[in-house]
Amino acid sequence: KLMHIQLKKFGAWFSAGYPGAAKFRKALFDSKSVVEVWSTLDNYFNEVKALTPADTSNEDFLMGGHG
């Protein structure tokens, strides 16, 4: 269960700045099993792998730490 939660947290963090990240994060946190989490991660990051994420380093969300 801990790996399941950690995968969701890392996936959400790494998606910052990519198109459709909010929708992806919702799907990710709605995932119920490790297999579903991996599938959601794989599908999303394969879609955006050729893109450069927006620079979100100045956003409070990332600077303050969380989780």
Coordinates of all heavy atoms in Angstrom, one line a residue:
K1 N 0.8 -1.2 0.0 CA 0.0 0.0 0.0 C 0.9 1.3 0.0 O 0.5 2.2 -0.6 CB -0.9 0.0 1.2 CG -1.8 1.2 1.4 CD -3.2 1.0 0.8 CE -4.0 2.2 1.1 NZ -5.2 2.2 0.4
L2 N 2.0 1.2 0.7 CA 2.9 2.4 0.8 C 3.4 2.7 -0.6 O 3.5 3.9 -1.0 CB 4.0 2.2 1.8 CG 5.0 3.4 2.0 CD1 4.2 4.6 2.5 CD2 6.1 3.0 3.0
M3 N 3.8 1.7 -1.3 CA 4.4 1.9 -2.7 C 3.3 2.6 -3.6 O 3.6 3.5 -4.3 CB 4.8 0.6 -3.3 CG 5.5 0.9 -4.7 SD 6.2 -0.6 -5.4 CE 4.9 -1.2 -6.4
H4 N 2.1 2.1 -3.4 CA 0.9 2.6 -4.1 C 0.8 4.2 -3.9 O 0.6 4.9 -4.8 CB -0.3 1.9 -3.6 CG -1.6 2.2 -4.2 ND1 -2.7 2.3 -3.5 CD2 -2.0 2.4 -5.5 CE1 -3.8 2.6 -4.3 NE2 -3.3 2.7 -5.5
I5 N 0.9 4.6 -2.7 CA 0.8 6.0 -2.3 C 1.9 6.8 -2.8 O 1.8 7.9 -3.4 CB 0.6 6.1 -0.8 CG1 -0.7 5.5 -0.3 CG2 0.7 7.6 -0.4 CD1 -0.8 5.3 1.2
Q6 N 3.2 6.2 -2.7 CA 4.4 6.9 -3.1 C 4.4 7.1 -4.6 O 4.8 8.2 -5.1 CB 5.6 6.2 -2.7 CG 5.8 6.2 -1.2 CD 5.9 7.6 -0.6 OE1 6.5 8.5 -1.2 NE2 5.4 7.8 0.6
L7 N 3.9 6.1 -5.4 CA 3.8 6.2 -6.8 C 2.9 7.4 -7.2 O 3.2 8.2 -8.1 CB 3.3 4.9 -7.5 CG 4.3 3.8 -7.5 CD1 3.6 2.5 -8.0 CD2 5.5 4.1 -8.5
K8 N 1.8 7.5 -6.5 CA 0.8 8.6 -6.8 C 1.5 9.9 -6.6 O 1.4 10.8 -7.4 CB -0.4 8.4 -6.0 CG -1.3 7.3 -6.4 CD -2.5 7.2 -5.5 CE -3.5 6.1 -6.0 NZ -4.7 6.1 -5.1
K9 N 2.2 10.0 -5.4 CA 2.8 11.3 -5.1 C 3.9 11.7 -6.1 O 3.9 12.9 -6.5 CB 3.3 11.2 -3.7 CG 2.3 11.2 -2.6 CD 2.7 10.8 -1.2 CE 3.7 11.8 -0.6 NZ 4.0 11.5 0.8
F10 N 4.7 10.8 -6.4 CA 5.8 11.1 -7.4 C 5.2 11.4 -8.7 O 5.7 12.3 -9.4 CB 6.8 10.0 -7.5 CG 7.8 9.9 -6.3 CD1 7.8 8.8 -5.5 CD2 8.6 11.0 -6.0 CE1 8.7 8.8 -4.4 CE2 9.5 11.0 -4.9 CZ 9.5 9.9 -4.1
G11 N 4.2 10.7 -9.2 CA 3.6 10.9 -10.5 C 3.0 12.3 -10.5 O 3.1 13.0 -11.5
A12 N 2.3 12.7 -9.5 CA 1.7 14.0 -9.4 C 2.8 15.1 -9.5 O 2.6 16.1 -10.2 CB 0.8 14.1 -8.2
W13 N 3.8 14.9 -8.7 CA 4.9 15.9 -8.7 C 5.6 16.0 -10.0 O 5.8 17.1 -10.5 CB 5.9 15.5 -7.6 CG 7.0 16.5 -7.4 CD1 6.9 17.8 -7.0 CD2 8.4 16.3 -7.7 NE1 8.1 18.4 -6.9 CE2 9.0 17.5 -7.4 CE3 9.1 15.2 -8.2 CZ2 10.4 17.7 -7.5 CZ3 10.5 15.4 -8.3 CH2 11.1 16.6 -8.0
F14 N 5.9 14.9 -10.7 CA 6.6 15.0 -12.0 C 5.7 15.5 -13.1 O 6.2 15.9 -14.2 CB 7.1 13.6 -12.4 CG 8.4 13.3 -11.6 CD1 8.5 12.3 -10.7 CD2 9.6 14.0 -11.9 CE1 9.6 12.0 -10.0 CE2 10.7 13.7 -11.2 CZ 10.8 12.7 -10.3
S15 N 4.4 15.5 -12.9 CA 3.5 16.0 -14.0 C 3.4 17.5 -14.0 O 2.8 18.0 -15.0 CB 2.1 15.3 -13.8 OG 1.4 15.9 -12.7
A16 N 3.9 18.2 -13.0 CA 3.7 19.6 -12.9 C 4.3 20.3 -14.2 O 5.4 20.0 -14.6 CB 4.5 20.2 -11.7
G17 N 3.5 21.1 -14.8 CA 3.9 21.9 -16.0 C 3.5 21.3 -17.3 O 3.6 21.9 -18.3
Y18 N 3.1 20.0 -17.3 CA 2.7 19.3 -18.5 C 1.2 19.6 -18.8 O 0.4 19.7 -17.9 CB 3.0 17.8 -18.5 CG 4.4 17.5 -18.6 CD1 5.2 17.2 -17.5 CD2 5.0 17.5 -19.9 CE1 6.6 16.8 -17.7 CE2 6.4 17.2 -20.0 CZ 7.1 16.8 -18.9 OH 8.4 16.5 -19.1
P19 N 0.8 19.6 -20.1 CA -0.6 19.7 -20.4 C -1.4 18.6 -19.9 O -1.0 17.4 -19.9 CB -0.6 19.7 -22.0 CG 0.8 19.9 -22.4 CD 1.7 19.5 -21.3
G20 N -2.6 18.9 -19.4 CA -3.5 17.9 -18.9 C -3.1 17.3 -17.5 O -3.6 16.3 -17.1
A21 N -2.2 18.0 -16.8 CA -1.7 17.5 -15.6 C -2.8 17.4 -14.5 O -2.8 16.4 -13.8 CB -0.5 18.3 -15.1
A22 N -3.7 18.3 -14.5 CA -4.7 18.3 -13.4 C -5.7 17.1 -13.7 O -6.0 16.4 -12.7 CB -5.6 19.6 -13.5
K23 N -6.0 16.8 -14.9 CA -6.9 15.7 -15.2 C -6.1 14.4 -14.9 O -6.7 13.4 -14.4 CB -7.3 15.7 -16.7 CG -8.2 14.6 -17.1 CD -8.6 14.8 -18.6 CE -9.4 13.6 -19.0 NZ -9.8 13.7 -20.5
F24 N -4.8 14.3 -15.3 CA -4.0 13.2 -15.0 C -3.9 12.9 -13.5 O -4.1 11.8 -13.0 CB -2.6 13.4 -15.5 CG -1.6 12.5 -14.9 CD1 -1.5 11.2 -15.2 CD2 -0.6 13.0 -14.0 CE1 -0.6 10.3 -14.6 CE2 0.3 12.2 -13.4 CZ 0.4 10.9 -13.7
R25 N -3.7 14.0 -12.7 CA -3.6 13.8 -11.2 C -4.9 13.3 -10.6 O -4.9 12.4 -9.7 CB -3.2 15.1 -10.5 CG -1.7 15.4 -10.8 CD -1.2 16.6 -9.9 NE -1.9 17.8 -10.2 CZ -1.4 18.7 -11.1 NH1 -0.3 18.5 -11.8 NH2 -2.1 19.8 -11.3
K26 N -6.0 13.7 -11.1 CA -7.3 13.2 -10.7 C -7.4 11.7 -11.0 O -7.8 10.9 -10.1 CB -8.5 14.0 -11.3 CG -9.8 13.4 -10.8 CD -11.0 14.2 -11.2 CE -12.3 13.7 -10.7 NZ -12.4 12.5 -9.9
A27 N -7.1 11.3 -12.2 CA -7.2 9.9 -12.6 C -6.2 9.1 -11.7 O -6.5 8.0 -11.3 CB -6.8 9.8 -14.0
L28 N -5.0 9.7 -11.5 CA -4.0 9.0 -10.7 C -4.5 8.7 -9.3 O -4.4 7.6 -8.8 CB -2.7 9.8 -10.7 CG -1.5 9.2 -10.0 CD1 -1.0 8.0 -10.8 CD2 -0.4 10.2 -10.0
F29 N -5.0 9.7 -8.6 CA -5.4 9.6 -7.2 C -6.8 8.8 -7.1 O -7.1 8.3 -6.0 CB -5.5 10.9 -6.5 CG -4.1 11.4 -6.1 CD1 -3.4 12.3 -6.9 CD2 -3.5 10.8 -5.0 CE1 -2.1 12.7 -6.6 CE2 -2.2 11.2 -4.7 CZ -1.5 12.2 -5.4
D30 N -7.5 8.7 -8.2 CA -8.7 7.8 -8.2 C -8.3 6.3 -8.5 O -9.2 5.5 -8.3 CB -9.7 8.3 -9.3 CG -10.4 9.5 -9.0 OD1 -10.4 9.9 -7.8 OD2 -11.0 10.2 -9.9
S31 N -7.1 6.1 -8.9 CA -6.7 4.7 -9.1 C -6.7 3.9 -7.8 O -6.3 4.4 -6.8 CB -5.2 4.7 -9.7 OG -5.2 5.4 -10.9
K32 N -7.2 2.6 -7.9 CA -7.4 1.8 -6.7 C -6.3 0.8 -6.5 O -6.1 0.3 -5.4 CB -8.7 1.1 -6.8 CG -9.9 2.0 -7.0 CD -10.1 2.9 -5.8 CE -11.3 3.8 -5.9 NZ -11.2 5.1 -5.2
S33 N -5.5 0.4 -7.5 CA -4.5 -0.7 -7.4 C -3.2 -0.2 -8.0 O -3.1 0.7 -8.7 CB -5.0 -1.9 -8.1 OG -5.0 -1.7 -9.5
V34 N -2.1 -0.9 -7.6 CA -0.8 -0.6 -8.1 C -0.8 -0.7 -9.6 O -0.2 0.1 -10.3 CB 0.3 -1.5 -7.4 CG1 1.6 -1.3 -8.1 CG2 0.4 -1.1 -6.0
V35 N -1.5 -1.8 -10.1 CA -1.5 -2.0 -11.6 C -2.2 -0.8 -12.3 O -1.7 -0.3 -13.3 CB -2.3 -3.3 -11.9 CG1 -2.5 -3.5 -13.4 CG2 -1.5 -4.5 -11.4
E36 N -3.3 -0.3 -11.7 CA -4.0 0.8 -12.3 C -3.2 2.1 -12.2 O -3.1 2.9 -13.1 CB -5.3 1.0 -11.6 CG -6.3 2.0 -12.3 CD -7.6 2.1 -11.6 OE1 -7.9 1.4 -10.6 OE2 -8.4 3.0 -12.0
V37 N -2.4 2.3 -11.1 CA -1.5 3.4 -11.0 C -0.5 3.4 -12.1 O -0.2 4.4 -12.8 CB -0.9 3.5 -9.6 CG1 0.2 4.5 -9.5 CG2 -1.9 3.8 -8.5
W38 N 0.2 2.2 -12.2 CA 1.2 2.1 -13.2 C 0.7 2.4 -14.6 O 1.3 3.0 -15.4 CB 1.9 0.7 -13.2 CG 3.0 0.5 -12.2 CD1 3.0 -0.3 -11.1 CD2 4.2 1.3 -12.2 NE1 4.2 -0.1 -10.4 CE2 4.9 0.8 -11.0 CE3 4.8 2.2 -13.0 CZ2 6.2 1.3 -10.7 CZ3 6.0 2.7 -12.6 CH2 6.7 2.3 -11.5
S39 N -0.5 1.9 -14.9 CA -1.1 2.1 -16.2 C -1.4 3.5 -16.5 O -1.1 4.1 -17.5 CB -2.4 1.3 -16.3 OG -3.0 1.5 -17.5
T40 N -1.9 4.2 -15.5 CA -2.2 5.6 -15.6 C -0.9 6.4 -15.8 O -0.9 7.3 -16.6 CB -2.9 6.1 -14.3 OG1 -4.1 5.4 -14.1 CG2 -3.3 7.6 -14.4
L41 N 0.1 6.1 -15.0 CA 1.4 6.8 -15.2 C 2.0 6.5 -16.6 O 2.4 7.5 -17.2 CB 2.4 6.2 -14.1 CG 2.2 6.6 -12.7 CD1 3.0 5.8 -11.8 CD2 2.5 8.1 -12.5
D42 N 2.0 5.3 -17.0 CA 2.5 4.9 -18.3 C 1.8 5.6 -19.4 O 2.5 6.2 -20.3 CB 2.5 3.4 -18.5 CG 3.2 2.9 -19.7 OD1 4.4 3.3 -19.9 OD2 2.7 2.1 -20.4
N43 N 0.5 5.6 -19.4 CA -0.3 6.3 -20.5 C 0.0 7.8 -20.5 O 0.2 8.3 -21.6 CB -1.8 6.0 -20.3 CG -2.2 4.6 -20.5 OD1 -1.5 3.8 -21.2 ND2 -3.3 4.2 -19.9
Y44 N 0.0 8.4 -19.4 CA 0.2 9.9 -19.4 C 1.6 10.3 -19.8 O 1.7 11.1 -20.7 CB -0.1 10.5 -18.0 CG 0.1 12.0 -18.0 CD1 -0.9 12.8 -18.6 CD2 1.2 12.5 -17.4 CE1 -0.7 14.2 -18.6 CE2 1.4 13.9 -17.4 CZ 0.4 14.7 -18.0 OH 0.6 16.1 -18.0
F45 N 2.6 9.7 -19.2 CA 3.9 10.1 -19.5 C 4.4 9.7 -21.0 O 5.2 10.3 -21.5 CB 4.9 9.6 -18.5 CG 4.8 10.5 -17.2 CD1 4.2 10.0 -16.1 CD2 5.1 11.8 -17.2 CE1 4.0 10.7 -14.9 CE2 5.0 12.6 -16.1 CZ 4.4 12.1 -14.9
N46 N 3.8 8.6 -21.5 CA 4.0 8.3 -22.9 C 3.4 9.4 -23.8 O 4.0 9.7 -24.9 CB 3.5 6.9 -23.3 CG 4.5 5.9 -22.9 OD1 5.7 6.1 -23.0 ND2 4.0 4.7 -22.5
E47 N 2.3 10.0 -23.4 CA 1.7 11.0 -24.2 C 2.5 12.3 -24.2 O 2.6 13.1 -25.2 CB 0.3 11.3 -23.7 CG -0.7 10.3 -24.0 CD -2.1 10.6 -23.4 OE1 -2.3 11.8 -23.1 OE2 -2.9 9.7 -23.3
V48 N 3.1 12.6 -23.1 CA 3.8 13.9 -22.9 C 5.3 13.9 -23.0 O 6.0 14.9 -22.9 CB 3.4 14.6 -21.6 CG1 1.9 14.9 -21.6 CG2 3.9 13.9 -20.4
K49 N 5.9 12.7 -23.3 CA 7.3 12.5 -23.2 C 8.1 13.4 -24.2 O 9.3 13.7 -23.9 CB 7.7 11.1 -23.3 CG 7.5 10.4 -24.7 CD 7.9 9.0 -24.6 CE 7.5 8.3 -25.9 NZ 7.8 6.9 -25.8
A50 N 7.5 13.8 -25.3 CA 8.3 14.6 -26.2 C 8.1 16.1 -25.9 O 8.7 16.9 -26.6 CB 7.8 14.3 -27.6
L51 N 7.3 16.5 -24.9 CA 7.1 17.9 -24.6 C 8.0 18.4 -23.5 O 8.5 17.6 -22.7 CB 5.6 18.0 -24.1 CG 4.5 17.5 -25.1 CD1 3.2 17.6 -24.4 CD2 4.5 18.3 -26.4
T52 N 8.2 19.7 -23.5 CA 9.0 20.3 -22.4 C 8.0 20.9 -21.5 O 7.1 21.7 -21.9 CB 9.9 21.4 -23.0 OG1 10.8 20.9 -24.0 CG2 10.7 22.1 -21.9
P53 N 8.1 20.6 -20.2 CA 7.1 21.1 -19.2 C 7.3 22.6 -19.0 O 8.4 23.1 -19.2 CB 7.4 20.4 -17.9 CG 8.9 20.0 -18.1 CD 9.1 19.7 -19.5
A54 N 6.3 23.3 -18.6 CA 6.4 24.7 -18.3 C 7.2 24.8 -17.0 O 7.2 23.9 -16.2 CB 5.0 25.3 -18.1
D55 N 7.9 25.9 -16.8 CA 8.7 26.2 -15.6 C 7.7 26.6 -14.5 O 7.2 27.7 -14.5 CB 9.7 27.2 -15.9 CG 10.6 27.5 -14.7 OD1 10.4 26.8 -13.6 OD2 11.4 28.5 -14.7
T56 N 7.5 25.7 -13.6 CA 6.6 26.0 -12.4 C 7.4 26.1 -11.1 O 6.8 26.1 -10.1 CB 5.6 24.8 -12.3 OG1 6.3 23.6 -12.1 CG2 4.7 24.7 -13.5
S57 N 8.7 26.4 -11.2 CA 9.5 26.4 -10.0 C 9.2 27.6 -9.1 O 9.6 27.6 -8.0 CB 11.0 26.4 -10.4 OG 11.3 27.5 -11.2
N58 N 8.6 28.6 -9.7 CA 8.2 29.8 -8.9 C 6.9 29.7 -8.1 O 6.5 30.6 -7.4 CB 8.2 31.1 -9.7 CG 7.2 31.0 -10.8 OD1 6.7 29.9 -11.2 ND2 6.8 32.1 -11.3
E59 N 6.2 28.6 -8.3 CA 4.9 28.4 -7.7 C 5.1 28.0 -6.2 O 5.9 27.1 -5.9 CB 4.1 27.4 -8.4 CG 3.7 27.8 -9.8 CD 2.8 26.8 -10.6 OE1 2.3 25.9 -9.9 OE2 2.6 27.0 -11.8
D60 N 4.3 28.6 -5.4 CA 4.4 28.2 -3.9 C 4.2 26.7 -3.7 O 4.8 26.2 -2.8 CB 3.3 29.0 -3.1 CG 3.6 30.5 -3.1 OD1 4.7 30.9 -3.4 OD2 2.6 31.3 -2.9
F61 N 3.3 26.1 -4.4 CA 3.0 24.7 -4.3 C 4.3 23.9 -4.3 O 4.5 23.0 -3.4 CB 2.1 24.2 -5.4 CG 2.0 22.8 -5.6 CD1 1.4 21.9 -4.7 CD2 2.7 22.2 -6.7 CE1 1.3 20.6 -5.0 CE2 2.6 20.9 -6.9 CZ 1.9 20.0 -6.1
L62 N 5.2 24.1 -5.2 CA 6.4 23.4 -5.3 C 7.5 23.9 -4.3 O 8.3 23.1 -3.8 CB 7.0 23.4 -6.7 CG 6.1 22.7 -7.7 CD1 6.7 22.9 -9.1 CD2 6.0 21.3 -7.5
M63 N 7.5 25.1 -4.0 CA 8.6 25.7 -3.2 C 8.4 25.3 -1.7 O 9.4 25.2 -1.0 CB 8.7 27.2 -3.4 CG 9.0 27.6 -4.8 SD 10.5 26.9 -5.5 CE 11.7 27.8 -4.4
G64 N 7.2 25.2 -1.3 CA 6.9 25.0 0.1 C 7.1 23.6 0.6 O 7.1 23.3 1.7
G65 N 7.1 22.7 -0.4 CA 7.2 21.2 0.0 C 5.8 20.8 0.4 O 5.0 21.5 0.9
H66 N 5.6 19.5 0.3 CA 4.3 18.9 0.7 C 4.5 17.4 0.8 O 5.4 16.9 0.4 CB 3.2 19.3 -0.4 CG 3.6 19.0 -1.7 ND1 3.5 17.7 -2.3 CD2 4.2 19.7 -2.7 CE1 4.0 17.7 -3.5 NE2 4.4 18.9 -3.8
G67 N 3.5 16.8 1.4 CA 3.3 15.4 1.4 C 3.9 14.6 2.4 O 4.1 13.5 2.5

